[in-house]
């Protein structure tokens, strides 16, 4: 039933809708993936936390002693949620990311394979959007990482424009790359993904302008896009502390059933968390699904090999191979040893420890190969059935059969990719569903700014993850740091299958130990704690904390939450005004790059439309 509909859509279409169909198709696929999450409520799943309102705390700016992993994401959400509900903001960003990922793949195919029709473009959209990488990152709660993933095909297009420009300093040339790098820069990992891809493509020989000039433009744009997390890391010093070497093995790529680590990564699979995978990837069907995806990709390799003279296509192939092979090597014994050495001695190396996330760099080439494969299969079919593969029937007359065969081949590929991962649909098998917070959170949040006192918030039970009755049976990141208008101390400690991975910094750990040991209130004050929040509806260690709580003033209490105040003076631990101003300036630079590039592209589009209108009138 699915294939005939797809074929009819690709063959019997008005010419004016050709460019619109990939965008509409990708939007429909994105809506099918997110499904129930698009209803009222908030995203709360593993690492993903959306709240009605977030605040521009030191944590949101990356100025605490923890690594700056969520900048400028948290600051941007804080700014947007001052006027828009946070649930809507996060869902809009996520839906846009998936939509743009699929649409960007189609546009990339149209640019690099100009003879490819609509069918191959839609197949490329399907491969980039409907795969295990997307499913597993959604289940892990890495919604903001998917903005960096979505930016990759658009980064290819932007780099192409800059390569073809003899004036790289012209806004017409650099605005597309500025926009894609800034969008990817919502997280540090996204910024690195897009920067690596852009750097490789801009460094290739050829192009209209000098290589050094376009590289200089790319470097300046990448620096602006990464300014928030680079500045936060430099100001806080968290990156120089090193990270727990235990995290290297804990977050290494993992082999799926029936597949080795290399096979899993080649199938865009293999996330470290075995519980954050779709049900169909937990058994032998993982082998089947990987074989289907790789078969669709492999069909296009001969066609791309014939185009190896195109440096961009060749570079995408090399990047894809490296994106699969290097994480696989990192999961070997000597790879883990090298990673542990780097984690403790190389500043910022902890950012690399989740090795499977870098396999995203293979996705653009996979999409391109799948599109080329549809055309190759169509040509094979044409030769088998007596048609000229160049698009003419055996009697020499122009024919539409070539387009029809390409559409059929693409439709078969689309159905195969969709069926190979059926539970990506409807919220990854229903796992992505909105939650509704109890009113207690809003009441507690309103207490803190009303008090207008300095000092941070400590939370009980200890630990970063929670099991609330309203969040289901999957551990979720504590929403308190994003729900409350004061900095909430978190140790960064992660409980994984084979032990514990410690976070950066020590103050939060000291506060946690004091509470569990039942220490005195003066100790909390010396550590900069003004408030202690107790979350009653989640299990977790409380230790002897009741002895400490009895020394504090109770500010709020209900069945969900209790809030306690530390009386007297509290040691100030907030970032000084100079550091905060520098961090805010870096975030504003990123925002200026994002909005300025977008406005520049809109202005270019408007001028182009006016020019075409005058030409039509003439």
């Amino acid at each position: 039933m699915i294939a005939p509909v797809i074929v009819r859509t690709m063959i019997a279409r008005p010419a004016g809708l050709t460019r619109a169909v990939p965008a509409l198709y990708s939007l429909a696929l994105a809506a099918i993936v997110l499904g129930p999450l698009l209803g009222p409520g908030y995203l709360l799943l593993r690492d993903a936390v959306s709240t009605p309102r977030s605040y521009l705390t030191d944590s949101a700016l990356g100025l605490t002693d923890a690594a700056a992993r969520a900048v400028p994401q948290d600051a941007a959400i804080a700014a947007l949620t001052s006027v828009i509900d946070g649930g809507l903001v996060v869902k809009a960003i996520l839906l846009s990311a998936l939509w743009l990922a699929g649409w960007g793949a189609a546009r990339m195919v149209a640019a690099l394979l100009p003879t490819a029709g609509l069918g191959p473009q839609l197949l490329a959209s399907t491969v980039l959007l409907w795969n295990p990488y997307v499913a597993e990152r959604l289940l892990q709660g890495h919604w903001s990482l998917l903005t960096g993933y979505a930016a990759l095909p658009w980064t290819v297009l932007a780099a192409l424009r800059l390569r073809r420009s003899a004036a790289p300093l012209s806004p017409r040339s650099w605005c597309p790359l500025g926009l894609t790098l800034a969008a990817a820069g919502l997280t540090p990992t996204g910024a690195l993904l897009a920067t690596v891809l852009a750097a490789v493509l801009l460094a290739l020989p050829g192009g209209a302008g000098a290589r050094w000039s376009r590289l200089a433009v790319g470097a300046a744009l990448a620096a602006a896009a990464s300014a928030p997390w680079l500045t936060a890391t430099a100001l806080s010093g968290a990156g120089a502390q090193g990270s727990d070497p235990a995290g290297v093995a804990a977050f290494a790529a993992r082999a799926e059933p029936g597949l080795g680590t290399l096979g899993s990564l080649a199938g865009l699979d293999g996330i470290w968390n075995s519980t954050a995978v779709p049900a169909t990837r937990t058994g032998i069907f993982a082998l089947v699904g990987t074989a289907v995806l790789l078969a669709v990709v492999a069909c296009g390799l001969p066609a791309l090999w014939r185009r190896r003279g195109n440096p961009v296509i060749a570079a995408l192939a090399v990047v894809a191979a490296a994106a699969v092979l290097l994480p696989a090597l990192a999961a070997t014994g000597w790879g883990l040893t090298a990673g542990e050495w780097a984690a403790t001695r190389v500043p910022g190396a902890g950012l690399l420890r989740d090795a499977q996330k870098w396999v995203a760099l293979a996705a653009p080439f996979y999409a391109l190969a799948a599109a080329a494969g549809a055309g190759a299969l169509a040509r094979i079919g044409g030769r088998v059935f007596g048609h000229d593969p160049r698009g003419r029937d055996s009697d020499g007359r122009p024919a539409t059969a070539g387009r029809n065969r390409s559409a059929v081949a693409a439709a078969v590929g689309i159905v195969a990719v969709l069926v190979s991962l059926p539970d990506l649909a409807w919220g990854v098998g229903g796992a992505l569903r909105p939650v509704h917070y109890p009113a207690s959170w809003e009441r507690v949040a309103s207490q803190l700014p009303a008090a207008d006192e300095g000092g941070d918030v400590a939370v009980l039970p200890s630990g970063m993850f929670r099991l609330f009755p309203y969040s289901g049976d999957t551990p979720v990141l504590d929403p308190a740091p994003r729900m409350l208008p004061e900095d909430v101390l978190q140790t960064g400690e992660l409980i994984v299958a084979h032990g514990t991975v410690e976070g950066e910094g020590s103050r939060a750990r000291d506060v946690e130990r004091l509470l569990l040991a039942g220490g005195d209130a003066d100790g909390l004050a010396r550590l900069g704690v003004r408030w202690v929040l107790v979350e009653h509806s989640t299990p977790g260690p409380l230790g002897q904390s009741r002895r400490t709580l009895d020394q504090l003033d109770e500010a709020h209490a209900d069945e969900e939450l209790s809030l306690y105040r530390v009386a007297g003076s509290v040691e100030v631990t907030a970032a000084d005004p100079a550091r905060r101003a520098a961090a805010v300036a870096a975030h504003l630079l990123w925002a200026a790059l994002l909005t300025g590039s977008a406005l520049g592209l809109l202005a270019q589009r408007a001028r182009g439309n006016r020019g075409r209108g005058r030409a039509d009138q003439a």
Side-chain angles (χ1 to χ4, degrees):
M1 291 295 292
I2 300 175
V5 172
I6 296 174
V7 172
R8 286 196 297 271
T9 301
M10 291 187 287
I11 295 176
R13 67 187 188 278
L17 289 179
T18 301
R19 287 177 62 86
V21 167
L24 296 173
Y25 173 78
S26 299
L27 181 59
L29 273 190
I32 291 171
V33 169
L34 297 182
L37 182 64
L38 300 179
Y42 300 89
L43 175 60
L44 186 62
L45 179 67
R46 293 190 175 89
D47 295 349
V49 179
S50 69
T51 57
R53 173 77 194 275
S54 297
Y55 300 89
L56 198 61
T57 60
D58 286 350
S59 296
L61 292 171
L63 294 178
T64 62
D65 56 2
R69 295 189 179 93
V71 292
Q73 167 196 317
D74 284 354
I77 297 298
L80 291 171
T81 57
S82 64
V83 292
I84 306 172
D85 179 79
L88 292 177
V89 169
V90 168
K91 286 183 280 192
I93 294 174
L94 182 52
L95 178 64
S96 298
L98 295 184
W99 167 47
L100 291 170
W103 187 18
R107 293 287 302 274
M108 179 184 68
V109 167
L112 291 174
L113 304 175
T115 60
L118 179 60
Q121 292 180 32
L122 298 186
L123 177 55
S125 297
T126 308
V127 167
L128 201 74
L129 202 159
W130 200 279
N131 60 62
Y133 187 90
V134 172
E136 293 173 354
R137 292 299 157 177
L138 285 173
L139 290 176
Q140 186 58 38
H142 291 173
W143 64 271
S144 52
L145 173 59
L146 291 176
T147 63
Y149 175 81
L152 294 178
W154 297 98
T155 301
V156 174
L157 291 167
L160 280 174
R161 178 180 287 196
L162 198 56
R163 285 176 54 81
R164 293 168 179 168
S165 173
L169 295 179
S170 166
R172 181 178 179 83
S173 301
W174 64 258
C175 274
L177 186 59
L179 180 58
T180 57
L181 290 178
L186 190 64
T187 64
T189 297
L192 289 176
L193 286 171
T195 297
V196 166
L197 186 58
V200 169
L201 298 181
L202 295 178
L204 294 173
R211 192 188 317 185
W212 70 265
S213 61
R214 63 175 181 253
L215 280 172
V217 170
L221 295 174
S226 300
W229 68 270
L230 290 175
T231 302
T233 301
L235 293 175
S236 67
Q241 298 173 9
S243 56
D244 188 352
V248 175
F251 297 116
R254 184 180 53 84
E256 294 291 349
L259 298 162
T261 304
L262 182 61
S264 298
L265 290 167
L268 304 182
D269 203 345
I271 192 171
W272 62 272
N273 186 355
S274 62
T275 65
V277 298
T280 55
R281 309 297 295 189
T282 59
I284 196 62
F285 193 75
L287 174 62
V288 176
T290 298
V292 169
L293 176 62
L294 293 180
V296 170
V297 171
C299 286
L301 295 182
L304 293 184
W305 175 254
R306 291 192 294 271
R307 293 175 172 85
R308 63 189 181 277
N310 184 325
V312 172
I313 293 177
L316 290 177
V318 172
V319 169
V324 171
L325 292 175
L326 293 180
L329 290 173
T332 63
W334 70 266
L336 294 174
T337 300
E340 290 167 358
W341 177 89
T344 56
R345 292 174 174 82
V346 178
L351 186 61
L352 307 177
R353 65 187 184 184
D354 183 355
Q356 189 266 351
K357 66 186 176 185
W358 305 106
V359 82
L361 288 167
F365 180 76
Y366 277 35
L368 194 66
L377 290 176
R379 288 191 293 274
I380 292 172
R383 285 192 289 268
V384 170
F385 292 103
H387 297 292
D388 189 321
R390 292 170 296 182
R392 293 179 177 271
D393 287 329
S394 56
D395 61 3
R397 292 179 300 174
T400 60
R403 189 186 74 181
N404 295 350
R405 289 192 300 272
S406 180
V408 171
V412 171
I414 288 172
V415 173
V417 172
L418 294 176
V419 172
S420 70
L421 191 58
D423 42 1
L424 179 53
W426 206 244
V428 197
L432 270 73
R433 57 185 185 277
V435 304
H436 300 273
Y437 292 106
S440 302
W441 283 105
E442 183 178 354
R443 290 194 289 267
V444 166
S446 66
Q447 293 274 336
L448 301 183
D452 193 24
E453 295 178 300
D456 296 337
V457 181
V459 183
L460 290 168
S462 64
M464 292 178 56
F465 284 84
R466 301 291 187 249
L467 273 173
F468 296 117
Y470 49 87
S471 63
D473 56 1
T474 300
V476 298
L477 203 60
D478 189 357
R482 291 171 175 84
M483 188 75 76
L484 303 181
E486 300 289 348
D487 276 301
V488 176
L489 296 175
Q490 289 194 308
T491 63
E493 184 177 272
L494 300 175
I495 307 299
V496 295
H498 302 292
T500 301
V501 178
E502 292 187 355
E504 302 84 6
S506 60
R507 188 164 67 96
R509 284 197 296 272
D510 293 341
V511 170
E512 184 178 275
R513 293 191 189 103
L514 186 150
L515 285 171
L516 294 179
D520 59 61
D522 291 341
L524 290 176
R526 285 192 297 271
L527 289 169
V529 174
R530 170 66 71 185
W531 306 94
V532 177
L533 178 71
V534 182
E535 302 172 9
H536 298 301
S537 59
T538 179
L542 294 171
Q544 304 299 314
S545 59
R546 174 46 57 187
R547 293 195 308 216
T548 306
L549 297 177
D550 287 341
Q551 304 172 45
L552 309 181
D553 299 330
E554 188 177 80
H556 171 87
D558 61 27
E559 68 280 359
E560 289 285 341
L561 303 170
S562 293
L563 182 67
Y564 296 86
R565 178 182 176 275
V566 177
S569 61
V570 167
E571 200 70 36
V572 176
T573 57
D576 61 75
R579 288 198 303 154
R580 191 173 176 88
V584 169
H587 282 75
L588 291 176
L589 176 61
W590 167 79
L593 179 64
L594 181 69
T595 57
S597 298
L599 291 174
L601 286 176
L602 289 175
Q604 293 173 26
R605 178 64 60 88
R607 286 195 296 269
N609 290 338
R610 286 197 298 270
R612 283 191 293 271
R614 286 193 294 268
D616 292 341
Q617 291 173 4

